[in-house]
Amino acid sequence: MAFPFSAIAIEECRLSDTPTQDSPLPDALRISAPAPLIDIGANLTHDSFAADLDATLERARQANVAALIVTGADRDGSLRAHELSERHDGLYATAGLHPHHAADWDPAMETTMRELHQQPRVVAVGECGLDFHRDFSSRADQQRAFEAQLALAAESGLPLFLHEREAGERMLEILREWRDHLSDAVVHCFTGERDTLYGYLDLDLHIGQTGWLSDERRGHHLREFVRDIPSERLMVETDCPYLLPRNLPAKIKGRRHEPALLPWIVKELAHWRGESETEVAQSTTRTARRFFRLEGTGE
Ligand SMILES: [Zn+2]
């Protein structure tokens, strides 16, 4: 089946092949979603956005991206994400420690995170979780930092923004133990297999989808079951500047992904779910507003 869009992974979160800041999007890539969207995973504290953040946010608005959750993945990144959320309308933040940096978890980190979780613009604990694909931190450190952040989520009552790569089995074991103490959790950029997905859904978790499902090298398996995710459990995200969609109808110099491209992900997701883009836009936004408890947005 021909479909004009396919996505790549420039390499997952916070890794090599760092995208660089570049000029505005080519006209061919400027489409607007048929209903307002919420990008639940935008790494806007990445250096590549430092020079043109205002213009990036304006392009997102033009694309009908109404709100963005800025991902906090380490101490400084979480502090900066919070700063951005206070400075710009429509921006919210998460605060947490990514498993790649899990070895950095210590009492001072815990204090910083606990304080951030009390700020009104910080809407989730994370990005946290397990990454056995890269193992940049030892698995023992990853589990220790993860459980410490689960405890913070239980304490604050905030939902969790979870990262999991090739660690579904262990993640499910840990979450089963903690589930009764947690309000809500989303497995962002879910890339796993069907059984893992069903395990997460059985725990009443939410699922975030990026352009990964159209990556012809490693995302095709998702096409077979992405329609199994109930609408009220599904949200969308760019994970920008990473995971630039691959076969967009124009090239982007610098290969930087940005929130204005979220409508392309909705288009792809709608195709494989057998829904209209409007349906996907409306349901994912409704779900994100409820999940992150965004104020004054109604339905
Ligand atoms: Zn991630």
Side-chain angles (χ1 to χ4, degrees):
M1 193 173 332
F3 192 71
F5 170 66
S6 127
I8 103 186
I10 271 185
E11 275 324 316
E12 62 280 6
C13 299
R14 282 157 284 288
L15 285 175
S16 55
D17 205 6
T18 304
T20 54
Q21 185 263 323
D22 197 54
S23 54
L25 293 178
D27 285 347
L29 300 184
R30 292 177 183 240
I31 60 172
S32 179
L37 301 178
I38 297 178
D39 185 348
I40 69 155
N43 299 285
L44 295 181
T45 63
H46 189 276
D47 289 347
S48 64
F49 291 115
D52 69 338
L53 183 64
D54 287 345
T56 300
L57 293 175
E58 179 54 31
R59 287 194 293 277
R61 273 188 284 275
Q62 288 168 6
N64 210 3
V65 178
L68 301 100
I69 315 292
V70 183
T71 308
D74 59 20
R75 184 182 179 280
D76 290 348
S78 297
L79 289 165
R80 289 213 308 280
H82 176 240
E83 276 171 31
L84 288 181
S85 72
E86 288 202 307
R87 206 181 305 149
H88 299 274
D89 286 344
L91 262 55
Y92 301 86
T94 73
L97 186 69
H98 193 281
H100 289 342
H101 311 299
D104 297 340
W105 189 266
D106 62 15
M109 174 84 72
E110 182 162 320
T111 300
T112 302
M113 293 301 171
R114 182 179 279 115
E115 286 169 4
L116 281 169
H117 296 155
Q118 291 166 357
Q119 304 304 313
R121 304 296 285 187
V122 174
V123 293
V125 173
E127 177 173 8
C128 61
L130 302 175
D131 193 315
F132 295 171
H133 177 59
R134 297 279 174 180
D135 282 325
F136 283 169
S137 285
S138 74
R139 294 186 181 183
D141 280 347
Q142 290 188 42
Q143 293 180 46
R144 185 174 59 94
F146 181 35
E147 296 216 55
Q149 292 174 88
L150 291 171
L152 288 180
E155 178 184 309
S156 65
L158 287 177
L160 280 152
F161 187 83
L162 300 175
H163 172 103
E164 180 262 301
R165 282 294 305 284
E166 296 182 17
E169 207 174 314
R170 186 69 189 118
M171 183 84 140
L172 280 165
E173 285 172 5
I174 293 174
L175 288 173
R176 275 189 203 105
E177 286 172 22
W178 280 87
R179 185 64 185 95
D180 287 349
H181 306 286
L182 306 171
S183 59
D184 255 334
V186 57
V187 181
H188 109 97
C189 191
F190 176 81
T191 58
E193 300 298 330
R194 188 192 299 261
D195 287 353
T196 310
L197 174 70
Y198 285 12
Y200 290 143
L201 293 174
D202 283 347
L203 285 175
D204 216 13
L205 305 189
H206 291 66
I207 304 294
Q209 282 292 284
T210 60
W212 189 290
L213 82 162
S214 51
D215 180 342
E216 75 280 11
R217 298 166 304 173
R218 55 183 180 176
H220 278 197
H221 67 291
L222 294 172
R223 296 176 171 182
E224 293 163 21
F225 53 80
V226 76
R227 69 174 63 212
D228 295 352
I229 305 168
S231 294
E232 68 276 12
R233 290 284 175 270
L234 176 66
M235 296 181 272
V236 289
E237 50 176 327
T238 55
D239 204 20
C240 66
Y242 312 101
L243 303 179
L244 177 70
R246 191 180 177 84
N247 278 353
L248 292 172
K251 294 236 184 305
I252 301 175
K253 244 175 89 186
R255 310 207 311 158
R256 184 185 69 175
H257 195 5
E258 65 171 74
L261 294 168
L262 189 59
W264 293 96
I265 291 168
V266 167
K267 190 186 275 288
E268 180 80 5
L269 197 52
H271 178 77
W272 295 109
R273 284 175 64 81
E275 295 176 344
S276 72
E277 290 170 43
T278 304
E279 284 173 307
V280 171
Q282 289 177 338
S283 69
T284 55
T285 294
R286 189 164 51 238
T287 300
R289 283 178 174 152
R290 173 176 46 74
F291 181 88
F292 292 105
R293 307 163 192 170
L294 307 186
E295 289 177 341
T297 48
E299 289 198 0

